[in-house]
Amino acid sequence: MAYIVPDDVERYAEEHTSAPAAHLARLAEETRAQLSSPQMLTGAIEGRFLEFLVFATGARRVLEFGTYSGYSALSMVAALPPDGQVITLEIDEERAAFARRHIDAAGESGRIDVRVGPALESVAELQGPFDLVFIDADKEGYRDYCEASLPLLAERGLIAVDNVLWSGRVADPSNDEDTTQAVRAFNDHVHADERVVNVMLSVRDGVTLIRRA
């Protein structure tokens, strides 16, 4: 995955961001060594960004679409109060098992609940409110995941959606690749939705923040 900012600027930003906790560094190393698609790893900058969102909003309950290796869930739980909870949804059994192993090693199995299965089926079983929702799963499902999250969102809750710039490909009108079109259509949908207010940030591969209008 190509980041939006030049590599040297991205590297400089990471060098000037508080280093991740030791368990996150180990998780990142093992993710790159053992899992497919290691470019999906949240990473140090976005991990801290998500932690800051939890801290700044005072979130107590977090919902995540797309666990992958558990880096983002562990980043967010770090800023939760002792009775806080992250519910994270993952369709892949292998990735869920990998994430659970690292969640257990970090001592956070009591606050992070990994649920395996199709996300829309899992979310249908949940009750809100959630103070923060993080969407980082299959791009074709983004609109459905966002729509499923809105009724569960707390009054002052936020939805954060990852990869909305898709390595800049969304800005190229000649790019008609399926995933690019899916992300572009999602971005257009959110921008036109009068129920919400959004801001698109060029953090890593693009993150959109959404709140109710």
Side-chain angles (χ1 to χ4, degrees):
M1 177 177 62
Y3 298 144
I4 303 305
V5 300
D7 289 346
D8 57 340
V9 177
E10 183 80 13
R11 185 165 51 253
Y12 183 87
E14 183 170 341
E15 290 170 353
H16 290 80
T17 296
S18 295
H23 65 269
L24 285 173
R26 287 192 297 272
L27 186 158
E29 183 179 355
E30 289 190 28
T31 298
R32 296 185 183 100
Q34 298 178 22
L35 292 186
S36 60
S37 305
Q39 72 276 9
M40 291 169 53
L41 185 68
T42 298
I45 294 176
E46 192 171 3
R48 283 294 183 193
F49 177 70
L50 292 171
E51 179 191 332
F52 266 71
L53 287 181
V54 173
F55 178 85
T57 60
R60 305 183 73 85
R61 296 188 76 214
V62 175
L63 173 62
E64 176 179 51
F65 290 80
T67 310
Y68 188 50
S69 63
Y71 193 107
S72 49
L74 281 167
S75 295
M76 292 185 288
V77 81
L80 285 178
D83 62 345
Q85 182 186 41
V86 176
I87 297 177
T88 179
L89 312 179
E90 175 57 52
I91 197 168
D92 186 279
E93 291 274 5
E94 179 186 2
R95 292 172 179 174
F98 182 100
R100 285 193 181 111
R101 179 162 57 84
H102 284 273
I103 289 165
D104 290 346
E108 293 292 2
S109 57
R111 295 198 298 167
I112 300 178
D113 180 3
V114 182
R115 302 196 180 188
V116 181
L120 293 178
E121 294 180 12
S122 297
V123 80
E125 300 174 353
L126 300 178
Q127 293 186 344
F130 288 95
D131 305 296
L132 178 65
V133 177
F134 180 48
I135 300 175
D136 184 16
D138 60 291
K139 311 315 169 194
E140 291 77 9
Y142 268 19
R143 180 169 175 171
D144 289 338
Y145 301 152
C146 192
E147 290 295 331
S149 299
L150 278 171
L152 302 177
L153 199 61
E155 182 179 355
R156 295 185 61 82
L158 292 179
I159 300 174
V161 187
D162 201 13
N163 303 118
V164 293
L165 291 174
W166 202 233
S167 299
R169 291 189 288 269
V170 291
D172 178 3
S174 68
N175 190 317
D176 60 357
E177 183 263 335
D178 288 348
T179 305
T180 302
Q181 290 192 71
V183 177
R184 189 184 291 130
F186 170 75
N187 292 339
D188 291 344
H189 168 72
V190 171
H191 184 61
D193 190 344
E194 295 183 353
R195 300 172 298 169
V196 303
V197 177
N198 77 288
V199 57
M200 184 179 287
L201 307 172
S202 54
V203 175
R204 201 164 185 258
D205 192 33
V207 178
T208 290
L209 301 181
I210 303 167
R211 66 168 174 84
R212 288 198 185 95

